[in-house]
Amino acid sequence: MKFVSTRGQSPEIGFEDVLLSGPAPDGGLYVPQSWPKLDMLRLTGKKDLKYADLAATVLALYAGDPAWYEAIQHHARAAYAKFDDQRIAPLRELGPHRWLLELFHGPTLAFKDFALQVLAPLMNEALARRKTRALVLAATSGDTGAAAVAALAGQPNIDLIVLHPKGRISDIQRRQMTTSTASNVRNIAIEGTFDDAQALVKAVFADAEFAAKHKLAAINSINWIRIAAQAAYYLSTYLALRRPLTFSVPTGNFGDVFAGYVAKQMGTPIQKLIIATNANDILARALATGIYARKAVNATLSPAMDIQVASNFERLLFEAHGRDPAVLRDLMAQFAATGSMTIKPDALELMRKSFAADRVHEGETVATMKLVHRDSGILLDPHTAVGFTATRVAAPDEDVVTVATAHPAKFPEAVEMATGVKPALPERLRWILSAPERCDTLPNDPAALRHYIAAN
Ligand SMILES: *Cc1c(COP(=O)(O)O)cnc(C)c1O
């Protein structure tokens, strides 16, 4: 399979390159040249296909090269063997025509484990085949950093440095990273905000000579393999319920919900994808009005969705505008210059065929957590509560699956505030509460970060 940039001015690349790449050199994002099709007849005929093998089937369609199939299957099996529920992505009924898809049974209790646990060993293998190494540099506001540490710890060809804003992430989020004993992992607390940490990473990457010398790499949510790996749970859900489904997806950077679109393009019967947003509602506004315009970011109870520029949305814009890179270049230039773009009417109509959207207020999120707990005894984390609230845009008799993106114990304060119950951390993670932490502190200064990288 070949991958092309949404902006059309970078050469096509293959699977191995896409494994190791961030954005395309022209600033666009890589997408597959065409949509590979799942053999739905064969898949629906199989009785007990393991989740890991399903995920490998999806990924192998993007590899194209049989030399990769065995490695993909091997790493997928090893990755999902670490989950604490053998069903990997179990479904739970939440009432008539309503289900929860629990994506929090991985090592760090959020759905990001689904992609990163597979991506990390595949990246490592691609580096080994090229006889080289990489230094992954990442800034995190919480969940991504923890998932990256868990996935990259001990990978022989990769080192990881994670920056988090000092004192601005939860204790559990910090401890999930700083208690790692892996010698290839370093944590840095930056004296600044998350935006400062992200700007530092960008500044260091922008120094091309430095980036090449230290073999800097990224694992952010625009990596195509992350999206492809996530498409597998939309497929597994269909195979479990065997009817066309609508999914409600708590959305920030548009990676997860776009993975649902990918599953649909590959042949999974999906009716609608509901983009559930919190107060940071750029996507809900875009779908309602056709104008994609950024505003200031609001802090909410669902911090992983406090995003006003959804990177992966560019991939849907590309699809909806007939995969025309010239149109994309215009739109993205308009957005970069003015903070706003106008989606073409035909494209908007196409998007509305596959997507609906809803914006959920904080009060509604809290009310949903409270109500679901009262009626069914289930604790929802605040992100999942946004998703479940947004199912109101579907018809009552429409079969809707809410994607549960995090375990309630990851956000204990919000859950306790809404329900009066403090969710307990699963047994297997309790050790992090008392384990020693390893973390360095740096000022908000690119020169200090460069010096640190060079010295380590
Ligand atoms: C990352 C994250 C999201 C947002 O997912 P996107 O792919 O960025 O849209 C939602 N909920 C949780 C708990 C997350 O960690």
Side-chain angles (χ1 to χ4, degrees):
M1 175 65 71
K2 291 284 181 207
F3 296 83
V4 298
S5 164
T6 48
R7 305 212 191 155
Q9 293 183 321
S10 297
E12 304 171 354
I13 61 172
F15 180 74
E16 203 170 297
D17 284 310
V18 99
L19 261 176
L20 297 171
S21 70
D26 61 10
L29 303 186
Y30 289 111
V31 288
Q33 201 164 43
S34 60
W35 294 110
K37 295 293 175 202
L38 291 158
D39 184 347
M40 290 306 290
L41 208 60
R42 189 184 70 85
L43 290 169
T44 47
K46 287 218 171 179
K47 266 271 162 324
D48 30 46
L49 206 56
K50 290 260 186 296
Y51 184 88
D53 291 343
L54 201 62
T57 302
V58 172
L59 285 171
L61 286 169
Y62 291 99
D65 173 2
W68 271 99
Y69 294 176
E70 214 171 303
I72 289 172
Q73 186 172 56
H74 168 78
H75 292 307
R77 285 181 176 175
Y80 298 115
K82 290 184 216 152
F83 281 48
D84 72 3
D85 187 306
Q86 280 190 11
R87 296 165 298 171
I88 312 302
L91 280 160
R92 197 192 253 235
E93 211 163 335
L94 249 192
H97 304 284
R98 296 290 182 270
W99 289 267
L100 266 191
L101 175 63
E102 295 183 355
L103 300 183
F104 49 70
H105 293 283
T108 70
L109 309 180
F111 80 90
K112 292 186 171 77
D113 289 326
F114 274 81
L116 286 170
Q117 284 289 328
V118 182
L119 175 63
L122 287 173
M123 274 178 83
N124 188 69
E125 180 137 350
L127 291 163
R129 288 180 187 197
R130 294 182 172 187
K131 300 194 170 35
T132 182
R133 308 179 50 80
L135 169 60
V136 170
L137 190 60
T140 186
S141 56
D143 292 342
T144 306
V149 168
L152 292 174
Q155 295 292 345
N157 299 301
I158 309 177
D159 295 305
L160 170 65
I161 297 180
V162 192
L163 280 60
H164 69 262
K166 186 173 179 176
R168 290 171 199 253
I169 63 174
S170 79
D171 255 28
I172 289 176
Q173 285 177 322
R174 187 191 69 249
R175 286 184 163 277
Q176 280 188 313
M177 301 191 283
T178 55
T179 54
S180 171
T181 55
S183 61
N184 66 330
V185 172
R186 290 269 195 287
N187 281 284
I188 302 180
I190 292 292
E191 289 168 333
T193 64
F194 169 64
D195 289 340
D196 293 334
Q198 195 155 43
L200 276 178
V201 168
K202 278 198 181 142
V204 172
F205 270 101
D207 183 340
E209 201 179 320
F210 185 86
K213 181 168 175 216
H214 295 282
K215 302 190 164 62
L216 296 188
I219 45 155
N220 38 29
S221 74
I222 54 169
N223 183 295
W224 178 259
I225 307 304
R226 280 182 69 173
I227 307 278
Q230 289 170 204
Y233 46 73
Y234 291 91
L235 173 61
S236 76
T237 303
Y238 169 75
L239 291 174
L241 296 175
R242 306 263 168 153
R243 64 195 93 178
L245 295 167
T246 290
F247 287 89
S248 181
V249 189
T251 295
N253 225 343
F254 204 70
D256 200 2
V257 74
F258 190 72
Y261 177 84
V262 170
K264 181 174 173 157
Q265 294 309 100
M266 294 176 78
T268 310
I270 291 175
Q271 223 143 24
K272 271 259 157 84
L273 294 154
I274 301 170
I275 304 164
T277 75
N278 61 25
N280 300 289
D281 61 349
I282 181 168
L283 291 163
R285 284 185 280 116
L287 215 69
T289 64
I291 296 169
Y292 181 70
R294 73 198 294 176
K295 286 190 188 165
V297 177
N298 292 298
T300 72
L301 293 170
S302 42
M305 296 153 65
D306 292 348
I307 289 174
Q308 278 285 8
V309 180
S311 318
N312 279 292
F313 191 55
E314 179 166 347
R315 289 187 161 117
L316 181 62
L317 288 169
F318 181 66
E319 288 284 299
H321 291 90
R323 292 190 149 227
D324 183 341
V327 174
L328 257 284
R329 286 199 296 277
D330 274 359
L331 289 175
M332 296 313 293
Q334 195 187 329
F335 186 71
T338 65
S340 170
M341 72 165 79
T342 305
I343 300 166
K344 299 208 185 307
D346 291 356
L348 187 61
E349 204 173 306
L350 263 176
M351 285 182 187
R352 288 175 177 160
K353 286 208 169 92
S354 295
F355 292 90
D358 194 19
R359 171 216 158 123
V360 177
H361 296 276
E362 293 287 89
E364 295 168 332
T365 305
V366 171
T368 295
M369 287 195 274
K370 194 182 206 133
L371 212 72
V372 169
H373 180 250
R374 191 196 67 194
D375 293 349
S376 60
I378 294 173
L379 295 176
L380 301 181
D381 98 278
H383 303 79
T384 306
V386 170
F388 190 61
T389 309
T391 61
R392 64 190 171 195
V393 306
D397 62 351
E398 197 172 331
D399 291 312
V400 190
V401 177
T402 298
V403 176
T405 50
H407 192 288
K410 256 195 132 158
F411 301 93
E413 294 83 10
V415 174
E416 186 175 17
M417 185 263 284
T419 65
V421 177
K422 187 167 183 184
L425 208 56
E427 186 69 44
R428 67 185 161 93
L429 271 173
R430 286 196 200 142
W431 65 272
I432 67 169
L433 299 176
S434 54
E437 296 186 69
R438 286 189 314 156
C439 184
D440 298 312
T441 300
L442 285 183
N444 177 18
D445 170 14
L449 180 56
R450 276 195 297 268
H451 179 76
Y452 182 93
I453 292 168
N456 284 271

